[in-house]
């Protein structure tokens, strides 16, 4: 199954989907496997291929993951927003409100998501140097983005969340992941979308992000 989107359409319309996830339709295993096959074609540092994808569809497991998602969201975390963050977040009227509403919808309905995809990578970066962090994250992030693009082309919606962060150890225990050896990179809800007519998002201008030769 494919929407037959052009590469440019896939790249420009793969959105963080929260309010338009279809909670009523299970996601066939073969579609997820196709997305993983494409994800593992992504570049990986030294060809080490340390990536893993945990897919949770079992009802009892999904309930545990959903409960941890909510608990982690309540725990919060991350650095405070800077003035520049707030300026960019509010560059387009209504953007921040829509994000808040979308998150609340996902929070309220997370237990209904038919599948969770939890990308993981061997090796931990706790207290690691920037070099080691970049090597590790650079070997999982391209694969996850490829997974999300492949999902979009198959009529599936995703959203990268870091909800596992505050309770990563607890989530690892639920999933049987060796926490000291493997890092859970994200917690990604996966479902068919309500409609497929996604559009490019409003962003700040190129002149604010593109630098030639110097900062």
């Amino acid at each position: 199954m494919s929407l037959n989107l052009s590469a440019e359409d896939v790249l420009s319309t793969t959105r963080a989907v929260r309010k338009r996830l279809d909670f009523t339709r299970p996601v066939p295993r073969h579609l997820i496997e196709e997305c993983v096959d494409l994800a593992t074609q992504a570049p990986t540092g030294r060809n080490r291929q340390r990536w893993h994808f945990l897919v949770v569809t079992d009802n009892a497991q999904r309930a545990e993951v959903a409960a941890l998602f909510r608990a982690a969201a309540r725990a919060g975390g991350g650095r405070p927003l800077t003035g520049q963050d707030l300026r960019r977040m509010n560059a387009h009227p209504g953007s921040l409100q829509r994000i808040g509403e979308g998150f609340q919808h996902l929070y309220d309905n997370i237990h209904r998501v038919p599948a969770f995809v939890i990308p993981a990578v061997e090796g931990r970066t706790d207290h690691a140097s920037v070099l080691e962090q970049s090597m590790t994250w650079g070997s999982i992030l391209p694969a996850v983005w490829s997974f999300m693009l492949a999902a979009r082309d198959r009529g599936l919606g995703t959203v990268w969340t870091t909800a596992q962060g505050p309770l990563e150890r607890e989530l690892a225990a639920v999933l049987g992941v060796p926490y000291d050896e493997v890092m859970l990179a994200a917690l990604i809800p996966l479902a068919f979308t309500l409609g497929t007519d996604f559009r490019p998002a409003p962003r700040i201008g190129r002149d604010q992000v593109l630098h030639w030769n110097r900062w």
Side-chain angles (χ1 to χ4, degrees):
M1 173 184 174
S2 173
L3 300 180
N4 294 316
L5 300 172
S6 70
E8 185 169 339
D9 284 338
V10 171
L11 287 167
S12 64
T13 65
T14 298
R15 302 264 63 82
V17 184
R18 301 179 183 90
K19 296 180 75 172
R20 292 177 60 182
L21 294 173
D22 188 344
F23 304 125
T24 67
R25 297 175 62 188
V27 180
R29 178 171 178 151
H30 76 272
L31 290 184
I32 300 175
E33 290 176 341
E34 289 175 9
C35 293
V36 170
D37 288 344
L38 289 169
T40 56
Q41 288 298 310
T44 169
R46 302 182 192 173
N47 197 32
R48 289 181 292 182
Q49 303 179 64
R50 292 179 170 181
W51 44 44
H52 297 269
F53 291 84
L54 292 87
V55 179
V56 181
T57 57
D58 175 79
N59 288 339
Q61 286 284 81
R62 286 193 302 113
E64 288 198 67
V65 172
L68 283 171
F69 176 96
R70 289 196 177 106
R74 292 193 297 270
R79 294 183 178 180
L81 297 172
T82 68
Q84 283 284 66
D85 291 333
L86 292 169
R87 179 187 64 78
R88 289 185 289 255
M89 291 166 70
N90 290 282
H92 299 278
S95 292
L96 195 55
Q97 179 180 345
R98 286 192 295 272
I99 291 171
E101 292 172 350
F103 174 79
Q104 187 63 53
H105 179 77
L106 183 62
Y107 181 91
D108 292 341
N109 292 280
I110 192 66
H111 60 289
R112 301 174 63 197
V113 173
F116 296 111
V117 178
I118 299 159
V121 61
E122 295 173 22
R124 300 203 59 84
T125 60
D126 312 68
H127 312 299
S129 67
V130 171
L131 173 61
E132 184 61 30
Q133 291 182 52
S134 64
M135 291 172 64
T136 301
W137 287 99
S139 289
I140 186 63
L141 282 166
V144 179
W145 183 233
S146 290
F147 179 95
M148 298 168 83
L149 293 172
R152 162 66 176 139
D153 192 47
R154 286 158 176 76
L156 300 170
T158 59
V159 54
W160 175 288
T161 83
T162 54
Q164 85 293 343
L167 297 176
E168 184 196 358
R169 188 182 292 274
E170 290 80 354
L171 181 58
V174 166
L175 300 174
V177 175
Y179 175 84
D180 292 332
E181 302 170 16
V182 174
M183 186 164 57
L184 304 182
L187 195 163
I188 299 174
L190 177 72
F192 282 103
T193 59
L194 300 172
T196 59
D197 55 331
F198 292 90
R199 297 174 294 178
R203 299 295 195 213
I204 59 174
R206 182 200 306 146
D207 60 315
Q208 298 184 53
V209 299
L210 179 61
H211 308 269
W212 287 100
N213 298 322
R214 294 177 61 85
W215 183 261

